[in-house]
Protein backbone atom coordinates (compact mmCIF):
# COMPACT_ATOMS: atom_id res chain seq x y z
CA UNK A 1 0.00 0.00 0.00
CA UNK A 2 1.22 3.50 -0.69
CA UNK A 3 -0.44 6.82 -0.03
CA UNK A 4 -0.98 9.67 -2.41
CA UNK A 5 -2.85 12.95 -2.46
CA UNK A 6 -5.62 13.45 -4.92
CA UNK A 7 -5.90 17.16 -5.65
CA UNK A 8 -8.96 18.39 -7.49
CA UNK A 9 -9.07 21.67 -9.40
CA UNK A 10 -10.37 24.35 -7.16
CA UNK A 11 -12.08 27.67 -6.89
CA UNK A 12 -10.28 30.52 -5.16
CA UNK A 13 -9.12 29.63 -1.64
CA UNK A 14 -11.13 31.48 1.02
CA UNK A 15 -11.10 31.49 4.81
CA UNK A 16 -8.62 31.49 7.66
CA UNK A 17 -6.23 29.03 9.27
CA UNK A 18 -3.80 28.96 12.19
CA UNK A 19 -0.12 28.49 11.43
CA UNK A 20 1.76 25.84 13.45
CA UNK A 21 5.07 26.19 15.27
CA UNK A 22 8.19 26.15 13.10
CA UNK A 23 9.81 22.77 12.49
CA UNK A 24 13.12 24.49 11.77
CA UNK A 25 12.94 26.25 15.14
CA UNK A 26 11.82 23.24 17.18
CA UNK A 27 14.62 20.90 16.07
CA UNK A 28 17.44 23.12 17.47
CA UNK A 29 15.36 23.83 20.62
CA UNK A 30 15.08 20.07 21.17
CA UNK A 31 18.83 19.55 20.68
CA UNK A 32 19.55 22.33 23.20
CA UNK A 33 17.81 20.39 25.97
CA UNK A 34 20.81 18.02 25.91
CA UNK A 35 22.96 20.79 27.38
CA UNK A 36 21.60 20.35 30.91
CA UNK A 37 20.02 17.77 33.18
CA UNK A 38 16.36 18.10 34.03
CA UNK A 39 12.95 18.61 32.49
CA UNK A 40 12.66 21.07 29.60
CA UNK A 41 9.39 22.10 27.99
CA UNK A 42 8.86 23.33 24.44
CA UNK A 43 5.48 24.80 23.47
CA UNK A 44 3.91 25.32 20.05
CA UNK A 45 5.52 22.14 18.70
CA UNK A 46 4.05 20.87 15.42
CA UNK A 47 3.21 17.17 15.04
CA UNK A 48 5.55 16.24 12.22
CA UNK A 49 7.76 13.32 11.26
CA UNK A 50 10.94 15.40 11.67
CA UNK A 51 9.98 16.23 15.26
CA UNK A 52 9.31 12.53 15.91
CA UNK A 53 12.72 11.66 14.44
CA UNK A 54 14.50 14.19 16.66
CA UNK A 55 12.56 12.78 19.65
CA UNK A 56 13.86 9.32 18.68
CA UNK A 57 17.42 10.67 18.52
CA UNK A 58 17.05 12.15 22.03
CA UNK A 59 15.54 8.89 23.31
CA UNK A 60 18.46 6.96 21.80
CA UNK A 61 20.73 9.22 23.88
CA UNK A 62 18.76 8.36 27.03
CA UNK A 63 16.17 11.15 27.24
CA UNK A 64 12.49 10.64 28.02
CA UNK A 65 10.37 12.54 25.52
CA UNK A 66 6.59 12.90 25.73
CA UNK A 67 3.95 15.01 23.98
CA UNK A 68 0.93 16.73 25.49
CA UNK A 69 -0.72 18.15 22.39
CA UNK A 70 1.60 20.84 21.08
CA UNK A 71 3.72 20.73 24.26
CA UNK A 72 6.88 18.62 24.28
CA UNK A 73 8.37 17.49 27.58
CA UNK A 74 12.00 16.34 27.52
CA UNK A 75 13.62 14.80 30.58
CA UNK A 76 17.41 14.51 30.22
CA UNK A 77 18.21 13.21 33.74
CA UNK A 78 19.39 9.85 32.41
CA UNK A 79 20.93 11.13 29.19
CA UNK A 80 24.39 9.58 28.94
CA UNK A 81 24.54 8.36 25.34
CA UNK A 82 26.85 10.07 22.85
CA UNK A 83 25.89 8.34 19.61
CA UNK A 84 23.44 9.39 16.90
CA UNK A 85 23.19 6.34 14.63
CA UNK A 86 22.92 6.18 10.86
CA UNK A 87 19.33 4.89 10.77
CA UNK A 88 18.14 8.11 12.47
CA UNK A 89 20.56 10.63 10.95
CA UNK A 90 19.80 9.36 7.46
CA UNK A 91 16.10 10.05 8.07
CA UNK A 92 16.75 13.68 8.95
CA UNK A 93 19.86 15.81 8.50
CA UNK A 94 19.04 18.03 11.48
CA UNK A 95 20.05 15.07 13.69
CA UNK A 96 23.53 16.55 13.35
CA UNK A 97 22.41 19.29 15.79
CA UNK A 98 23.24 16.90 18.64
CA UNK A 99 26.95 17.09 17.77
CA UNK A 100 27.54 20.43 19.52
CA UNK A 101 25.63 19.75 22.75
CA UNK A 102 27.05 16.23 23.18
CA UNK A 103 30.59 17.52 22.79
CA UNK A 104 29.92 20.41 25.16
CA UNK A 105 28.32 18.34 27.90
CA UNK A 106 29.91 14.89 27.60
CA UNK A 107 33.20 15.69 25.85
CA UNK A 108 32.49 13.23 23.08
CA UNK A 109 30.08 12.62 20.25
CA UNK A 110 29.70 9.96 17.62
CA UNK A 111 27.28 11.09 14.90
CA UNK A 112 26.68 9.38 11.57
CA UNK A 113 27.56 11.50 8.54
CA UNK A 114 24.30 12.73 7.01
CA UNK A 115 25.30 12.27 3.35
CA UNK A 116 23.68 14.02 0.38
CA UNK A 117 20.03 14.78 -0.14
CA UNK A 118 17.46 14.93 -2.92
CA UNK A 119 18.81 18.20 -4.30
CA UNK A 120 22.52 17.45 -4.21
CA UNK A 121 25.43 17.78 -1.81
CA UNK A 122 24.85 19.38 1.58
CA UNK A 123 28.27 19.70 3.17
CA UNK A 124 28.91 19.83 6.92
CA UNK A 125 32.49 21.09 6.74
CA UNK A 126 31.58 24.28 8.62
CA UNK A 127 30.07 22.29 11.50
CA UNK A 128 33.26 20.26 11.79
CA UNK A 129 35.63 23.24 11.38
CA UNK A 130 33.68 25.03 14.10
CA UNK A 131 34.05 22.15 16.56
CA UNK A 132 37.77 21.95 15.78
CA UNK A 133 38.11 25.69 16.36
CA UNK A 134 36.61 25.10 19.84
CA UNK A 135 39.51 22.65 20.42
CA UNK A 136 37.65 19.42 19.71
CA UNK A 137 39.43 16.60 17.92
CA UNK A 138 37.36 15.44 14.96
CA UNK A 139 37.87 12.23 12.98
CA UNK A 140 35.81 10.74 10.19
CA UNK A 141 35.74 6.98 9.85
CA UNK A 142 33.31 4.28 8.74
CA UNK A 143 30.71 6.92 7.86
CA UNK A 144 30.76 8.47 11.31
CA UNK A 145 31.95 11.71 12.88
CA UNK A 146 33.95 10.92 16.02
CA UNK A 147 34.57 14.06 18.06
CA UNK A 148 36.36 14.35 21.41
CA UNK A 149 37.21 17.23 23.68
CA UNK A 150 38.13 18.07 27.23
CA UNK A 151 36.22 21.22 28.01
CA UNK A 152 35.69 23.14 24.78
CA UNK A 153 37.65 26.39 24.54
CA UNK A 154 36.21 29.69 23.32
CA UNK A 155 37.54 31.02 20.04
CA UNK A 156 36.97 33.43 17.16
CA UNK A 157 35.28 31.70 14.22
CA UNK A 158 34.16 33.07 10.87
CA UNK A 159 31.61 31.11 8.83
CA UNK A 160 32.87 31.07 5.22
CA UNK A 161 29.20 30.82 4.15
CA UNK A 162 26.16 31.90 6.12
CA UNK A 163 24.87 28.54 7.41
CA UNK A 164 21.83 28.00 9.64
CA UNK A 165 22.90 24.50 10.63
CA UNK A 166 26.52 25.35 11.42
CA UNK A 167 25.46 28.43 13.42
CA UNK A 168 23.09 26.24 15.47
CA UNK A 169 25.85 23.73 16.22
CA UNK A 170 28.38 26.43 17.14
CA UNK A 171 25.93 28.12 19.52
CA UNK A 172 25.07 24.77 21.13
CA UNK A 173 28.75 23.94 21.62
CA UNK A 174 30.15 27.31 22.65
CA UNK A 175 27.67 28.16 25.43
CA UNK A 176 29.45 25.69 27.75
CA UNK A 177 33.00 26.39 26.47
CA UNK A 178 35.55 28.09 28.67
CA UNK A 179 36.12 31.75 27.84
CA UNK A 180 34.66 33.83 25.05
CA UNK A 181 33.64 32.75 21.56
CA UNK A 182 33.05 35.30 18.83
CA UNK A 183 31.15 34.14 15.74
CA UNK A 184 31.36 36.18 12.54
CA UNK A 185 29.01 35.88 9.55
CA UNK A 186 26.60 33.80 11.65
CA UNK A 187 23.14 33.06 10.25
CA UNK A 188 20.45 35.54 11.33
CA UNK A 189 17.34 33.48 10.55
CA UNK A 190 14.48 33.96 13.08
CA UNK A 191 14.94 30.33 14.16
CA UNK A 192 18.46 31.27 15.35
CA UNK A 193 16.99 34.08 17.48
CA UNK A 194 14.51 31.59 18.96
CA UNK A 195 17.42 29.34 19.94
CA UNK A 196 19.39 32.25 21.42
CA UNK A 197 16.34 33.19 23.54
CA UNK A 198 16.12 29.63 24.84
CA UNK A 199 19.87 29.36 25.58
CA UNK A 200 19.97 32.73 27.35
CA UNK A 201 16.94 31.72 29.45
CA UNK A 202 18.89 28.55 30.36
CA UNK A 203 21.67 30.74 31.73
CA UNK A 204 23.90 31.23 28.68
CA UNK A 205 25.47 34.58 27.84
CA UNK A 206 24.96 35.20 24.14
CA UNK A 207 25.18 38.79 22.91
CA UNK A 208 24.32 40.24 19.50
CA UNK A 209 21.03 38.47 18.79
CA UNK A 210 19.74 39.48 15.37
CA UNK A 211 23.18 40.33 14.01
CA UNK A 212 25.67 38.20 12.10
CA UNK A 213 28.33 38.78 14.75
CA UNK A 214 27.65 36.98 18.02
CA UNK A 215 29.61 36.93 21.27
CA UNK A 216 29.22 34.00 23.64
CA UNK A 217 30.68 34.07 27.14
CA UNK A 218 30.86 30.44 28.21
CA UNK A 219 29.24 29.32 31.47
CA UNK A 220 29.83 26.24 33.65
CA UNK A 221 26.30 24.91 33.57
CA UNK A 222 22.81 25.54 32.25
CA UNK A 223 19.35 24.85 33.63
CA UNK A 224 16.22 23.54 31.87
CA UNK A 225 13.55 26.05 30.85
CA UNK A 226 10.18 26.35 29.14
CA UNK A 227 10.19 28.01 25.70
CA UNK A 228 7.79 28.43 22.77
CA UNK A 229 8.71 27.82 19.15
CA UNK A 230 8.10 30.70 16.77
CA UNK A 231 5.44 30.31 14.03
CA UNK A 232 6.46 28.47 10.88
CA UNK A 233 7.23 31.13 8.26
CA UNK A 234 7.67 28.50 5.55
CA UNK A 235 4.28 26.92 6.25
CA UNK A 236 2.74 30.41 6.26
CA UNK A 237 4.50 31.31 3.02
CA UNK A 238 3.25 28.14 1.35
CA UNK A 239 -0.39 28.98 2.15
CA UNK A 240 0.09 32.61 1.06
CA UNK A 241 1.39 31.48 -2.33
CA UNK A 242 -1.50 28.99 -2.61
CA UNK A 243 -3.98 31.78 -1.83
CA UNK A 244 -2.41 34.10 -4.39
CA UNK A 245 -2.21 31.63 -7.27
CA UNK A 246 -5.84 30.55 -6.74
CA UNK A 247 -6.87 34.27 -6.75
CA UNK A 248 -8.17 33.76 -3.23
CA UNK A 249 -8.79 35.72 -0.05
CA UNK A 250 -7.13 34.13 2.96
CA UNK A 251 -6.16 35.11 6.50
CA UNK A 252 -3.36 33.39 8.40
CA UNK A 253 -3.38 33.61 12.20
CA UNK A 254 -0.45 33.05 14.57
CA UNK A 255 2.25 34.27 12.22
CA UNK A 256 4.92 36.97 12.53
CA UNK A 257 4.65 39.10 9.37
CA UNK A 258 8.20 40.52 9.67
CA UNK A 259 9.55 37.00 9.17
CA UNK A 260 8.02 36.99 5.68
CA UNK A 261 9.07 40.43 4.45
CA UNK A 262 10.75 39.25 1.23
CA UNK A 263 7.83 37.03 0.21
CA UNK A 264 5.19 39.64 1.05
CA UNK A 265 7.02 42.25 -1.05
CA UNK A 266 7.15 39.88 -4.04
CA UNK A 267 3.49 38.87 -3.68
CA UNK A 268 2.57 42.55 -3.63
CA UNK A 269 4.66 43.13 -6.78
CA UNK A 270 2.72 40.27 -8.42
CA UNK A 271 -0.53 42.09 -7.75
CA UNK A 272 -1.82 40.61 -4.48
CA UNK A 273 -3.15 42.94 -1.78
CA UNK A 274 -1.68 42.20 1.63
CA UNK A 275 -2.57 43.52 5.07
CA UNK A 276 -0.56 42.67 8.18
CA UNK A 277 -1.28 43.06 11.88
CA UNK A 278 0.83 41.85 14.79
CA UNK A 279 -0.76 38.39 14.80
CA UNK A 280 -1.67 37.74 11.22
CA UNK A 281 -1.58 38.31 7.49
CA UNK A 282 -4.52 38.72 5.11
CA UNK A 283 -3.95 38.22 1.39
CA UNK A 284 -6.52 39.21 -1.23
CA UNK A 285 -5.78 38.30 -4.84
CA UNK A 286 -9.34 38.50 -6.19
CA UNK A 287 -9.32 41.87 -7.85
CA UNK A 288 -6.15 42.44 -9.91
CA UNK A 289 -4.59 40.15 -12.51
CA UNK A 290 -1.55 38.37 -11.11
CA UNK A 291 1.76 38.42 -12.98
CA UNK A 292 4.82 36.20 -12.36
CA UNK A 293 7.92 37.78 -10.82
CA UNK A 294 11.53 36.63 -10.75
CA UNK A 295 13.15 35.79 -7.41
CA UNK A 296 16.59 34.95 -6.11
CA UNK A 297 16.95 32.96 -2.87
CA UNK A 298 19.46 33.94 -0.22
CA UNK A 299 20.11 33.89 3.52
CA UNK A 300 17.48 35.61 5.68
CA UNK A 301 16.02 38.20 5.22
CA UNK A 302 16.25 37.39 1.51
CA UNK A 303 13.78 35.08 -0.23
CA UNK A 304 13.88 31.63 1.48
CA UNK A 305 15.14 28.65 -0.53
CA UNK A 306 12.34 26.67 1.16
CA UNK A 307 9.73 28.78 -0.66
CA UNK A 308 11.30 28.72 -4.13
CA UNK A 309 9.58 25.51 -5.35
CA UNK A 310 6.13 26.84 -4.35
CA UNK A 311 6.93 30.15 -6.04
CA UNK A 312 7.86 28.24 -9.18
CA UNK A 313 4.48 26.46 -9.13
CA UNK A 314 2.76 29.84 -8.96
CA UNK A 315 4.78 31.36 -11.81
CA UNK A 316 4.19 28.28 -13.96
CA UNK A 317 0.42 28.71 -13.55
CA UNK A 318 0.42 32.40 -14.57
CA UNK A 319 0.97 34.04 -17.96
CA UNK A 320 4.42 35.53 -18.41
CA UNK A 321 8.10 34.86 -17.86
CA UNK A 322 10.04 34.56 -14.59
CA UNK A 323 13.47 33.42 -13.45
CA UNK A 324 14.16 31.63 -10.17
CA UNK A 325 17.77 31.54 -9.01
CA UNK A 326 18.73 29.49 -5.95
CA UNK A 327 21.99 30.77 -4.47
CA UNK A 328 21.72 28.49 -1.41
CA UNK A 329 21.23 25.15 -3.14
CA UNK A 330 22.06 25.49 -6.86
CA UNK A 331 20.78 21.99 -7.70
CA UNK A 332 17.42 22.31 -5.98
CA UNK A 333 15.28 21.81 -9.10
CA UNK A 334 14.03 18.21 -8.87
CA UNK A 335 10.45 19.49 -8.95
CA UNK A 336 10.92 21.02 -12.41
CA UNK A 337 10.29 17.79 -14.32
CA UNK A 338 7.22 17.09 -12.21
CA UNK A 339 5.78 20.58 -12.78
CA UNK A 340 6.45 20.12 -16.49
CA UNK A 341 4.30 16.97 -16.33
CA UNK A 342 1.48 19.29 -15.25
CA UNK A 343 1.93 21.36 -18.42
CA UNK A 344 4.48 23.87 -17.14
CA UNK A 345 7.24 25.11 -19.42
CA UNK A 346 10.37 25.35 -17.26
CA UNK A 347 14.03 24.97 -18.25
CA UNK A 348 17.01 24.85 -15.91
CA UNK A 349 20.37 26.47 -16.69
CA UNK A 350 22.98 26.38 -13.92
CA UNK A 351 21.42 27.56 -10.68
CA UNK A 352 18.48 29.24 -12.43
CA UNK A 353 15.13 28.01 -13.70
CA UNK A 354 13.35 29.92 -16.47
CA UNK A 355 9.58 29.66 -16.38
CA UNK A 356 7.45 30.50 -19.36
CA UNK A 357 4.03 30.71 -17.75
CA UNK A 358 1.29 29.36 -20.00
CA UNK A 359 -1.57 30.62 -17.87
CA UNK A 360 -2.90 27.14 -17.17
CA UNK A 361 -1.80 23.74 -15.89
CA UNK A 362 -3.44 20.35 -16.33
CA UNK A 363 -3.69 17.60 -13.73
CA UNK A 364 -1.52 14.47 -13.99
CA UNK A 365 0.17 11.90 -11.74
CA UNK A 366 3.40 13.33 -10.26
CA UNK A 367 5.74 12.55 -7.40
CA UNK A 368 7.05 14.65 -4.52
CA UNK A 369 10.84 14.49 -4.66
CA UNK A 370 11.28 16.30 -1.33
CA UNK A 371 9.26 18.23 1.24
CA UNK A 372 8.95 21.63 -0.44
CA UNK A 373 8.79 20.09 -3.93
CA UNK A 374 5.76 18.17 -2.67
CA UNK A 375 4.16 21.39 -1.46
CA UNK A 376 4.75 22.96 -4.88
CA UNK A 377 2.96 20.08 -6.60
CA UNK A 378 -0.05 20.30 -4.30
CA UNK A 379 -0.30 24.03 -5.04
CA UNK A 380 -0.03 23.39 -8.76
CA UNK A 381 -2.71 20.70 -8.45
CA UNK A 382 -5.08 23.14 -6.76
CA UNK A 383 -5.10 25.38 -9.84
CA UNK A 384 -4.56 22.71 -12.53
CA UNK A 385 -7.51 21.59 -14.63
CA UNK A 386 -8.75 18.12 -13.68
CA UNK A 387 -7.19 15.89 -11.04
CA UNK A 388 -3.57 15.72 -9.90
CA UNK A 389 -2.24 12.67 -8.09
CA UNK A 390 0.76 13.54 -5.91
CA UNK A 391 2.78 10.44 -4.94
CA UNK A 392 5.56 9.96 -2.35
CA UNK A 393 3.65 12.17 0.05
CA UNK A 394 5.58 10.95 3.09
CA UNK A 395 7.90 13.88 2.34
CA UNK A 396 5.08 16.29 3.21
CA UNK A 397 4.52 14.67 6.63
CA UNK A 398 7.98 15.97 7.55
CA UNK A 399 6.95 19.59 7.40
CA UNK A 400 3.22 20.37 7.12
CA UNK A 401 0.99 19.66 10.10
CA UNK A 402 -2.68 18.93 9.21
CA UNK A 403 -2.04 19.77 5.55
CA UNK A 404 -5.29 18.35 4.15
CA UNK A 405 -7.38 19.74 7.02
CA UNK A 406 -5.94 23.23 6.66
CA UNK A 407 -6.42 23.21 2.90
CA UNK A 408 -9.99 21.94 3.39
CA UNK A 409 -10.61 24.85 5.77
CA UNK A 410 -9.69 27.11 2.84
CA UNK A 411 -12.01 25.21 0.50
CA UNK A 412 -9.43 23.09 -1.34
CA UNK A 413 -10.08 19.47 -2.16
CA UNK A 414 -6.93 17.50 -1.30
CA UNK A 415 -7.65 13.96 -0.24
CA UNK A 416 -5.24 11.44 1.17
CA UNK A 417 -5.77 8.13 -0.60
CA UNK A 418 -4.25 4.69 -0.22
CA UNK A 419 -3.52 2.51 -3.18
CA UNK A 420 -2.48 -1.05 -3.56
CA UNK A 421 0.28 -0.72 -6.16
CA UNK A 422 -1.01 -3.85 -7.90
CA UNK A 423 -4.68 -3.01 -7.95
CA UNK A 424 -5.81 0.03 -9.89
CA UNK A 425 -9.43 -0.56 -8.91
CA UNK A 426 -8.56 -0.39 -5.21
CA UNK A 427 -7.03 3.03 -5.63
CA UNK A 428 -9.99 5.30 -5.50
CA UNK A 429 -12.13 3.17 -3.19
CA UNK A 430 -9.81 4.05 -0.31
CA UNK A 431 -9.89 7.80 -0.88
CA UNK A 432 -11.09 9.75 2.10
C1 LIG B 1 19.00 25.53 4.58
C2 LIG B 1 18.31 26.86 4.58
C3 LIG B 1 17.18 26.74 5.55
C4 LIG B 1 16.29 25.59 5.10
C5 LIG B 1 17.08 24.28 4.97
C6 LIG B 1 16.27 23.15 4.38
C7 LIG B 1 19.38 29.01 4.24
C8 LIG B 1 20.46 29.93 4.62
N1 LIG B 1 19.28 27.87 4.93
O1 LIG B 1 19.41 25.30 5.92
O2 LIG B 1 16.47 27.95 5.59
O3 LIG B 1 15.25 25.39 6.02
O4 LIG B 1 18.17 24.52 4.12
O5 LIG B 1 15.79 23.46 3.14
O6 LIG B 1 18.62 29.29 3.35
N2 LIG B 1 27.13 24.94 3.81
C9 LIG B 1 28.44 24.59 3.67
N3 LIG B 1 29.04 23.89 4.69
C10 LIG B 1 28.38 23.55 5.82
C11 LIG B 1 27.04 23.92 5.95
C12 LIG B 1 26.42 24.61 4.92
O7 LIG B 1 29.07 24.87 2.67
O8 LIG B 1 28.99 22.94 6.69
C13 LIG B 1 26.48 25.69 2.73
C14 LIG B 1 25.32 24.91 2.10
O9 LIG B 1 25.75 24.07 1.06
C15 LIG B 1 24.43 26.04 1.60
C16 LIG B 1 24.66 27.15 2.63
O10 LIG B 1 25.88 26.84 3.29
O11 LIG B 1 24.86 26.49 0.35
C17 LIG B 1 23.56 27.29 3.67
O12 LIG B 1 23.44 26.05 4.33
P1 LIG B 1 22.69 25.87 5.72
O13 LIG B 1 22.00 27.13 6.10
O14 LIG B 1 23.59 25.24 6.69
O15 LIG B 1 21.66 24.80 5.34
P2 LIG B 1 20.58 24.29 6.25
O16 LIG B 1 20.88 24.44 7.68
O17 LIG B 1 20.28 22.93 5.72
Amino acid sequence: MSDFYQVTANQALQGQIDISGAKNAVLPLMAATLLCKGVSIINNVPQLDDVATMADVLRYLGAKVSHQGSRLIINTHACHGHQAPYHLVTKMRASIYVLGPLLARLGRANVALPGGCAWGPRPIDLHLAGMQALAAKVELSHGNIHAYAGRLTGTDFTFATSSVGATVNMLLASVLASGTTRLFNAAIEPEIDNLIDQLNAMGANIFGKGSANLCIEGVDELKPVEISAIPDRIEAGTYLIAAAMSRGHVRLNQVIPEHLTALLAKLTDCGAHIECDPNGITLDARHKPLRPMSIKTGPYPQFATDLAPQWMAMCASLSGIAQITDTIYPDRFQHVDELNRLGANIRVRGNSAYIIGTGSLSGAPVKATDLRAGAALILAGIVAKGTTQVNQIYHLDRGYQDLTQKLAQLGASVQCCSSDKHSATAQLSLCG
Side-chain angles (χ1 to χ4, degrees), residues 23-24 93 97 119 121-128 161-166 187 189 191 233-234 298-300 303-306 327-330 332 372:
K23 161 179 98 75
N24 290 345
R93 295 180 55 81
Y97 290 164
W119 63 78
R122 292 177 76 180
I124 54 157
D125 55 315
L126 297 174
H127 300 242
L128 304 185
T161 308
S162 177
S163 159
V164 177
E189 269 67 0
E191 294 77 17
R233 61 195 169 97
I234 306 302
Y300 186 84
F303 200 99
T305 177
D306 275 355
T327 72
I328 306 291
Y329 289 110
R332 194 175 184 173
R372 308 303 172 185

Side-chain angles (χ1 to χ4, degrees), residues 23-303:
K23 161 179 98 75
N24 290 345
V26 167
L27 301 176
L29 299 179
M30 290 175 75
T33 66
L34 292 170
L35 286 165
C36 62
K37 285 201 172 200
V39 179
S40 301
I41 295 174
I42 307 173
N43 296 310
N44 201 27
V45 174
Q47 281 172 22
L48 298 170
D49 284 357
D50 276 9
V51 173
T53 301
M54 186 57 103
D56 285 343
V57 173
L58 298 186
R59 287 188 189 105
Y60 194 91
L61 297 167
K64 287 189 181 137
V65 185
S66 59
H67 295 259
Q68 285 175 356
S70 63
R71 163 178 279 224
L72 198 61
I73 300 155
I74 303 171
N75 183 340
T76 57
H77 272 298
C79 223
H80 306 296
H82 66 281
Q83 299 187 36
Y86 177 71
H87 75 273
L88 293 174
V89 178
T90 195
K91 266 183 161 175
M92 184 189 68
R93 295 180 55 81
S95 309
I96 199 176
Y97 290 164
V98 302
L99 177 66
L102 289 177
L103 256 183
R105 199 177 116 194
L106 302 175
R108 62 181 179 155
N110 184 346
V111 179
L113 279 164
C117 80
W119 63 78
R122 292 177 76 180
I124 54 157
D125 55 315
L126 297 174
H127 300 242
L128 304 185
M131 298 303 129
Q132 285 169 321
L134 291 168
K137 193 163 176 254
V138 178
E139 289 165 6
L140 302 182
S141 69
H142 305 293
N144 287 306
I145 306 160
H146 302 272
Y148 315 86
R151 188 172 179 187
L152 295 170
T153 310
T155 187
D156 282 2
F157 185 79
T158 302
F159 296 93
T161 308
S162 177
S163 159
V164 177
T167 302
V168 166
N169 246 331
M170 277 304 269
L171 283 169
L172 292 173
S174 61
V175 283
L176 286 179
S178 66
T180 302
T181 299
R182 291 189 302 166
L183 301 179
F184 301 102
N185 195 31
I188 58 167
E189 269 67 0
E191 294 77 17
I192 297 284
D193 289 355
N194 204 180
L195 175 64
I196 291 175
D197 284 342
Q198 178 200 30
L199 291 170
N200 280 343
M202 290 169 74
N205 289 319
I206 304 171
F207 304 95
K209 187 179 100 173
S211 91
N213 297 333
L214 299 171
C215 178
I216 302 113
E217 285 170 8
V219 295
D220 292 338
E221 63 177 358
L222 297 166
K223 61 177 190 307
V225 294
E226 180 167 349
I227 182 93
S228 286
I230 58 172
D232 193 325
R233 61 195 169 97
I234 306 302
E235 186 197 23
T238 301
Y239 289 114
L240 286 171
I241 296 170
M245 63 198 279
S246 76
R247 313 290 204 282
H249 182 210
V250 164
R251 175 174 169 82
L252 306 182
N253 300 312
Q254 296 171 23
V255 45
I256 300 174
E258 303 88 76
H259 291 174
L260 285 146
T261 304
L263 174 70
L264 297 182
K266 280 289 175 184
L267 284 168
T268 305
D269 289 348
C270 286
H273 178 72
I274 291 170
E275 282 181 18
C276 298
D277 57 67
N279 190 39
I281 301 174
T282 304
L283 180 144
D284 190 349
R286 291 171 299 175
H287 304 298
K288 275 209 269 177
L290 221 60
R291 58 178 184 278
M293 298 290 300
S294 298
I295 55 140
K296 190 198 271 192
T297 71
Y300 186 84
Q302 297 174 60
F303 200 99

